[in-house]
Amino acid sequence: MTNTTGATGEPPYRRIAADIRRRIAEGALSPGDPVPSTRRLAAEWGVALATATKALALLRLEGAVEARPRIGTVVAGTGPAAPQPRRRPSAAPDPERELSLARIVRAAVDIADSEGLPALTMRAVAARLGVAPMSPYRHVPGKDDLVLLMADAVFGEAPHPAGAAGEWRPRLELGARTLWSVHRRHPWLAQVGPLTRPLLVPNLLAHAEWMLSALDGHGLEPAAQFEVNVLLYGHVHGLAVHLEREANAAAATGQSDEQWMDGRAAALSELLASGRFPTFARVVGSFRDGYDLCLDSLFESGLKALLDGLAPIIEGGAAPTGSN
């Protein structure tokens, strides 16, 4: 297993990327050669799959490697060039002239997806697009405005069926799972704004429209109807904030969740043996094979519990406890 404790202080994913770059430069990996898979890198370096994935994503952003359908990730610069028809010489494309708001937003989303929201800057977007550092400002005033456009774009990736009808529960389940899938694909999204300061972007309001319309016709007061929507969105948002934190923790420590917990087994055993937490000790002690805390499972069990509890309120037209 490769030692991940480098003296440089760089995060593990950057050290992995640097090692692959070195192998390419030295000829150990030639154009077209497959690079180690994320699973192999995770095993060799003793890191989480998320860390290995982040290293390959960084190399793809740099153009050092590329994804090939049905092959995997390979060293860039290879494939047999397809025959090109003769054409008159023309000027090289000018990235500045081809720059558009849509391209800027897409590049920003790619950066946030692969490196996290802290890595997103207007300069990083410009570098990814190959334009001058100030060029994106001609299309968007600054990072805050860009983040709102990014959020709107990703919320729009999974629209609900237009005019769909049906029972309230399947529709609310579809709405909640759709929002969860969006946050799953874009872990940075839950870091953008707190629940009390919602993102006022069209595609998120389209989700709210879907949820609220599923509650129409059940006799709920408008405030209660809106509160149900907020409760379900809060369930998605509350779990989703941990997605990027989980990835950042794995990248920073080079440890999977299991490895991190293994390193704290002695401290946990001491706390359990102290007698101060008998119920906790009994519950944890009953896990014969340990406990796998899975955010997807928590989302599903929490969604079921919420909807079970909301059923008499929605079907009886009452207000949730605590409503004015």
Side-chain angles (χ1 to χ4, degrees):
M1 182 180 293
T2 304
N3 184 5
T4 60
T5 57
T8 64
E10 284 190 319
Y13 80 94
R14 289 194 176 275
R15 294 201 294 275
I16 296 171
D19 181 66
I20 293 176
R21 278 192 223 102
R22 176 187 59 77
R23 292 158 69 179
I24 293 172
E26 294 175 353
L29 288 172
S30 302
D33 286 350
V35 300
S37 67
T38 52
R39 290 193 178 278
R40 181 174 168 188
L41 288 173
E44 288 181 353
W45 287 78
V47 298
L49 284 174
T51 304
T53 301
K54 198 168 183 179
L56 293 183
L58 176 61
L59 292 167
R60 279 196 295 271
L61 288 175
E62 296 172 349
V65 302
E66 60 189 22
R68 293 279 182 83
R70 298 182 297 277
I71 296 176
T73 302
V74 302
V75 179
T78 62
Q84 298 294 324
R86 290 181 175 272
R87 49 182 157 183
R88 295 178 183 175
S90 60
D94 182 357
E96 297 283 355
R97 294 186 63 183
E98 295 179 352
L99 192 60
S100 66
L101 181 59
R103 288 189 64 213
I104 291 170
V105 171
R106 185 69 256 166
V109 169
D110 288 344
I111 291 171
D113 284 350
S114 60
E115 299 184 59
L117 202 59
L120 177 68
T121 63
M122 298 294 279
R123 182 176 291 272
V125 172
R128 178 159 178 79
L129 293 171
V131 299
M134 299 302 292
S135 295
Y137 288 99
R138 290 191 279 110
H139 298 268
V140 60
K143 179 178 174 179
D144 289 345
D145 300 273
L146 178 56
V147 169
L148 286 178
L149 292 169
M150 293 162 57
D152 191 39
V154 299
F155 278 125
E157 290 177 355
H160 300 301
E167 296 294 324
W168 66 268
R169 182 159 184 151
R171 293 193 68 196
L172 291 183
E173 287 176 340
L174 174 60
R177 289 185 180 125
T178 298
L179 284 177
W180 179 248
S181 69
V182 171
H183 284 82
R184 255 293 184 203
R185 290 194 300 274
H186 307 285
W188 52 270
L189 185 56
Q191 313 296 327
V192 172
L195 186 64
T196 53
R197 300 186 181 189
L199 298 170
L200 300 179
V201 295
N203 284 317
L204 180 55
L205 291 185
H207 284 280
E209 174 70 17
W210 170 272
M211 303 294 272
L212 291 172
S213 65
L215 297 169
D216 267 348
H218 291 279
L220 291 174
E221 292 293 329
Q225 190 174 350
F226 194 76
E227 192 168 83
V228 170
N229 170 55
V230 173
L231 283 170
L232 290 169
Y233 179 73
H235 173 56
V236 174
H237 189 273
L239 287 177
V241 295
H242 298 286
L243 294 169
E244 179 144 305
R245 293 177 186 176
E246 183 180 63
N248 289 341
T253 64
Q255 294 180 319
S256 66
D257 294 337
E258 292 79 6
Q259 290 170 326
W260 187 89
M261 282 301 300
D262 287 345
R264 285 147 185 81
L268 177 60
S269 296
E270 184 178 344
L271 286 170
L272 296 180
S274 70
R276 295 167 57 198
F277 317 105
T279 307
F280 185 85
R282 176 177 55 79
V283 171
V284 173
S286 70
F287 301 145
R288 295 182 179 275
D289 300 317
Y291 175 74
D292 182 17
L293 195 156
C294 172
L295 292 178
D296 290 308
S297 296
L298 282 177
F299 166 75
E300 287 295 337
S301 60
L303 178 61
K304 181 181 184 301
L306 269 173
L307 294 178
D308 286 348
L310 288 170
I313 295 169
I314 295 171
E315 294 173 357
T321 302
S323 293
N324 294 328

